[in-house]
Amino acid sequence: DVKVTQSSRYLVKRTGEKVFLECVQDMDHENMFWYRQDPGLGLRLIYFSYDVKMKEKGDIPEGYSVSREKKERFSLILESASTNQTSMYLCASSPRGTGLGNTIYFGEGSWLTVV
Amino acid sequence: AQTVTQSQPEMSVQEAETVTLSCTYDTSENNYYLFWYKQPPSRQMILVIRQEAYKQQNATENRFSVNFQKAAKSFSLKISDSQLGDTAMYFCAFMRGFGNEKLTFGTGTRLTIIP
């Protein structure tokens, strides 16, 4: 079974802290994504990556950065956490070029609270 | 840019009944894919059903079926013989064709199946 693992399920951080959210997939997928989920807003794309060391901004990249040094790992970075970044963060991965949503796999999510 | 609209924030239905969740979308693309994802309380996002825009036949997966109206840009999900395990958030999502695997999500419908 494909597995997308988000290392932290629940985090509480202070305003101004640097936060790392880690995501690892075990299926050699080229594509990886970070989404943010908020009530009433659905899922919104923060950043995505089509290959190692490649990244592209999604719909809401402000306040975030990403790192993809290895194919299996995609990290989301909050340089200086703020309370409006309190949210659920979902990582996903998929192989390249399929164009079919049944090959997009999601992690279980990371609940981040910034106080 | 694509937009996906789910106009029903919450719905509830008695067990064994049929329920229909609505979704409309806006795009200028001609080649695209549409999906319904389910997110149970455990938070793991699961693909329920997908539809290729070039196919006129509505997709069906066991108790789940869609009513795809391309001209109206409508993509509703029908759940027949609803079960307690169908209780979840349901998200409608859009993906452009030609290997672009980014998903644009609607705001979700919280479905509760009442015993």
Side-chain angles (χ1 to χ4, degrees):
Chain A
D1 279 353
V2 173
K3 200 162 180 66
V4 179
T5 303
Q6 295 182 233
S7 55
S8 302
R9 291 298 309 275
Y10 302 95
L11 304 93
V12 180
K13 298 292 182 180
R14 295 194 179 276
T15 300
E17 277 194 74
K18 190 169 185 175
V19 181
F20 292 87
L21 298 180
E22 306 286 345
C23 176
V24 177
Q25 48 95 2
D26 64 358
M27 282 299 292
D28 201 35
H29 286 168
E30 289 81 8
N31 303 328
M32 295 190 75
F33 309 87
W34 274 107
Y35 285 89
R36 170 176 172 163
Q37 183 177 356
D38 298 288
L41 297 177
L43 280 75
R44 293 177 291 167
L45 183 63
I46 305 172
Y47 266 97
F48 60 100
S49 170
Y50 287 139
D51 206 342
V52 176
K53 296 191 185 295
M54 295 184 69
K55 59 186 179 184
E56 291 192 31
K57 294 179 180 179
D59 299 317
I60 53 163
E62 296 79 17
Y64 303 94
S65 62
V66 291
S67 172
R68 191 155 181 214
E69 296 295 319
K70 293 185 177 181
K71 192 174 186 180
E72 67 271 18
R73 186 180 298 269
F74 193 36
S75 302
L76 180 68
I77 303 159
L78 288 67
E79 293 288 344
S80 178
S82 63
T83 54
N84 63 13
Q85 293 178 310
T86 292
S87 187
M88 161 73 86
Y89 291 88
L90 284 167
C91 177
S93 74
S94 70
R96 181 184 298 156
T98 58
L100 299 177
N102 63 343
T103 54
I104 291 182
Y105 300 90
F106 285 86
E108 292 186 318
S110 297
W111 262 116
L112 173 66
T113 301
V114 182
V115 298
Chain B
Q2 287 70 229
T3 59
V4 178
T5 302
Q6 294 179 250
S7 59
Q8 304 152 312
E10 294 188 20
M11 296 185 72
S12 60
V13 66
Q14 292 289 136
E15 191 176 5
E17 291 186 350
T18 294
V19 61
T20 298
L21 281 59
S22 301
C23 173
T24 58
Y25 59 95
D26 188 24
T27 184
S28 58
E29 304 281 340
N30 192 48
N31 183 28
Y32 54 88
Y33 305 88
L34 295 163
F35 310 91
W36 280 97
Y37 279 87
K38 170 185 177 180
Q39 188 182 46
S42 68
R43 293 284 176 177
Q44 189 82 44
M45 194 79 78
I46 304 164
L47 178 69
V48 175
I49 199 166
R50 63 179 172 88
Q51 174 82 41
E52 292 87 346
Y54 62 86
K55 288 187 177 179
Q56 291 187 329
Q57 186 173 4
N58 289 327
T60 299
E61 289 286 344
N62 300 315
R63 298 182 295 108
F64 299 87
S65 61
V66 299
N67 183 5
F68 174 48
Q69 301 290 328
K70 190 172 184 179
K73 295 181 181 175
S74 170
F75 183 61
S76 61
L77 174 70
K78 186 172 82 171
I79 306 174
S80 304
D81 186 27
S82 57
Q83 301 174 359
L84 296 179
D86 296 332
T87 292
M89 282 289 289
Y90 286 82
F91 292 97
C92 180
F94 173 100
M95 178 191 289
R96 290 170 55 193
F98 303 112
N100 185 327
E101 283 89 14
K102 289 183 291 179
L103 284 170
T104 299
F105 286 88
T107 53
T109 296
R110 183 176 301 279
L111 177 64
T112 302
I113 309 301
I114 303 167

